[in-house]
Amino acid sequence: MKDTYFIIIVFFMSLSRPDLVANNIQISNVSLTNDSTLSFNISWDNSWRISNAAPYNHDAVWIFIKRKDCALGQWSHVNIDTNVLTHTVGAPLEVYIDGKDGSVAKGLFLRRSSDGVGNVSNTAVSIRMSALPVGEFDFRVLGIEMVQIPQDSFQVGDGNTSTGSFKDGNSSNPLWITSEGAISAGSAPGSIYTAVSTYRPVALPAAYPKGYAEIYCMKYEISQGQYVDFVNLLTSDQGAARQSKGSTTYRTNISGTWPVLIANTPHRAMNYLAWTDFLAYMDWAALRPMTELEFEKICRGPGAPVAGEYAWGSSIITDAGPTVQNDGSPTEGVSNTITAGGGIANYGSGSLSSVVRGPLRCGFAANAGTTRLEAGAGYYGVMELTGNVYERAITTRHTAGSGFTGNLGDGELSVAPSAGYANQSSWPNQQASISSNSSVSGSALRGGGWNASASYHRVSDRSYSYYQSGQRGLNIGGRGVR
Ligand SMILES: [Ca+2]
Ligand SMILES: [Ca+2]
């Protein structure tokens, strides 16, 4: 009997333009090796897995697949087989499926299978797709660099130094987070509290992510290349809702229109991300926003807070500049000598006349040999937590935020009546107006942006911990966790 099923694949992967995939992940030689298996090679630089020294963690790449129905012209998310044994990968990597998507798997992690440090070069991967319908499809394999944040206790607040700093009840001490259990709000010992009433958090239910449990966090802020890939892989009306091109005046450089938006500086962090743009990217990539508490964990790790510290663990900061080197290239960096004992970040004076007037390349200060301070990295190796663009997070200050349960995106955005929005239960303000200054009640901004003055960049600064604007701010971006 003749097989009436057929699948024709037309690849327009990152073969010809590996720089379309942000940062330095390269996915190449994609092919369909049977009706349901995609094979490809992956490379990325500076991977690690370290189990015998701090920070006892590893990096990974979150891999997910989109397919375009050639008859309908519409993109959909591709679930993969939940059985890890159906996927293969060569040394030094292994496949990890975290089981957080219920009965399906929205993607998988590739990570080192044992301790080691170095580049991953052209390693072969095969992924078994799940429940693929009959039809003709184009496939697109996407990868996002992630960093494992291990389960651990940690502290929020920096001894009441920074604006709105969390503290342990009505003391001056940081608050220990030792489980994912509910946290009461108020002045009693063991409750979460702030000195100034304006910044006080509400009670946090058990389901609100506290930062104690293991997560994976994007190593970099969403890049301009990643954002453009996202918009181009939506439907027409979804793409229209999410098309944010920013301004070349403030270093966003995106031309064209959907579905051929072009990121001319794809390695730079994306600014001008509205709350709804950010949530839609999270949903589409099967990630989720981080919470305010998770932000401090990812910066600080399990150690004692330092008063006024930045993501690299000291209160000394050097502003990126004065010259941008290789401006706009994949090696964009700055000419600074970093002040001893401090780290580097792209920040400003509070005006728009900052040394660097807009975001820099994701990972602009990091090289293979750089230290945590020289790279401006957080405890676990996550980049630009301080400065470049503000990190969008879920607030602790409003019940719209405290109702967030940490559920992940499912890869699909709304279709009708309003197309192109995140549509996941418990995610706040998913259809907020991008023209309104007061449409968002579940959002916080953390870590400072390129034009904000230094104090806003502190790990525990909560000046914008309740940020209601739905607008596309010139210094606002974000990153996801899972
Ligand atoms: Ca940042
Ligand atoms: Ca969704």
Side-chain angles (χ1 to χ4, degrees), residues 221 383-391 446-448 479:
E221 297 157 337
M383 308 303 304
E384 281 91 53
L385 290 160
T386 294
N388 217 30
V389 288
Y390 270 104
E391 314 276 335
R446 286 302 210 101
R479 79 180 82 211

Side-chain angles (χ1 to χ4, degrees), residues 132-154:
L132 210 57
V134 177
E136 300 176 27
F137 303 113
D138 296 341
F139 290 99
R140 182 73 190 264
V141 180
L142 296 118
I144 300 177
E145 288 183 77
M146 309 288 283
V147 175
Q148 185 227 16
I149 313 296
Q151 175 180 306
D152 208 348
S153 298
F154 70 105

Side-chain angles (χ1 to χ4, degrees), residues 38-244:
L38 279 178
S39 298
F40 57 91
N41 292 338
I42 190 164
S43 302
W44 82 91
D45 293 342
N46 306 321
S47 83
W48 78 90
R49 184 171 186 136
I50 298 171
S51 62
N52 60 359
Y56 306 100
N57 76 335
H58 54 266
D59 74 340
V61 175
W62 170 241
I63 296 282
F64 57 103
I65 300 168
K66 301 288 179 177
R67 67 172 166 84
K68 181 183 177 184
D69 185 309
C70 294
L72 301 174
Q74 296 199 343
W75 288 94
S76 304
H77 196 90
V78 177
N79 292 339
I80 63 161
D81 199 306
T82 55
N83 181 356
V84 71
L85 299 176
T86 64
H87 314 291
T88 64
V89 64
L93 301 178
E94 67 177 3
V95 171
Y96 170 58
I97 295 176
D98 63 16
K100 293 180 175 177
D101 298 312
S103 60
V104 300
K106 294 292 175 183
L108 54 76
F109 289 100
L110 299 175
R111 62 185 187 187
R112 283 183 173 267
S113 59
S114 60
D115 278 11
V117 174
N119 297 343
V120 172
S121 179
N122 262 329
T123 300
V125 185
S126 290
I127 297 182
R128 178 85 178 167
M129 296 180 283
S130 171
L132 210 57
V134 177
E136 300 176 27
F137 303 113
D138 296 341
F139 290 99
R140 182 73 190 264
V141 180
L142 296 118
I144 300 177
E145 288 183 77
M146 309 288 283
V147 175
Q148 185 227 16
I149 313 296
Q151 175 180 306
D152 208 348
S153 298
F154 70 105
Q155 296 172 75
V156 292
D158 64 354
N160 208 24
T161 303
S162 298
T163 301
S165 172
F166 289 125
K167 53 185 200 149
D168 184 346
N170 195 24
S171 73
S172 294
N173 301 323
L175 176 69
W176 275 101
I177 307 292
T178 58
S179 79
E180 289 290 336
I183 300 175
S184 57
S187 58
S191 296
I192 194 164
Y193 199 60
T194 65
V196 178
S197 60
T198 311
Y199 302 104
R200 275 179 196 152
V202 299
L204 303 174
Y208 181 87
K210 310 295 182 315
Y212 174 77
E214 177 194 68
I215 52 173
Y216 283 79
C217 176
M218 285 175 64
K219 184 176 179 183
Y220 304 105
E221 297 157 337
I222 298 167
S223 70
Q224 294 175 22
Q226 286 175 316
Y227 193 75
V228 160
D229 280 349
F230 155 67
V231 177
N232 284 340
L233 300 183
L234 300 175
T235 64
S236 169
D237 46 358
Q238 290 173 335
R242 297 282 69 89
Q243 183 166 301
S244 177

Side-chain angles (χ1 to χ4, degrees), residues 359-435:
L360 285 164
R361 175 175 68 88
C362 298
F364 73 93
N367 293 302
T370 45
T371 65
R372 178 183 172 191
L373 291 169
E374 290 165 340
Y379 178 82
Y380 298 101
V382 175
M383 308 303 304
E384 281 91 53
L385 290 160
T386 294
N388 217 30
V389 288
Y390 270 104
E391 314 276 335
R392 288 194 173 275
I394 302 284
T395 188
T396 59
R397 275 171 57 185
H398 191 282
T399 51
S402 65
F404 178 62
T405 62
N407 52 312
L408 291 161
D410 66 355
E412 304 287 356
L413 303 184
S414 66
V415 176
S418 299
Y421 291 85
N423 54 359
Q424 298 308 96
S425 64
S426 99
W427 291 23
N429 316 114
Q430 294 173 100
Q431 297 205 12
S433 166
I434 60 168
S435 61

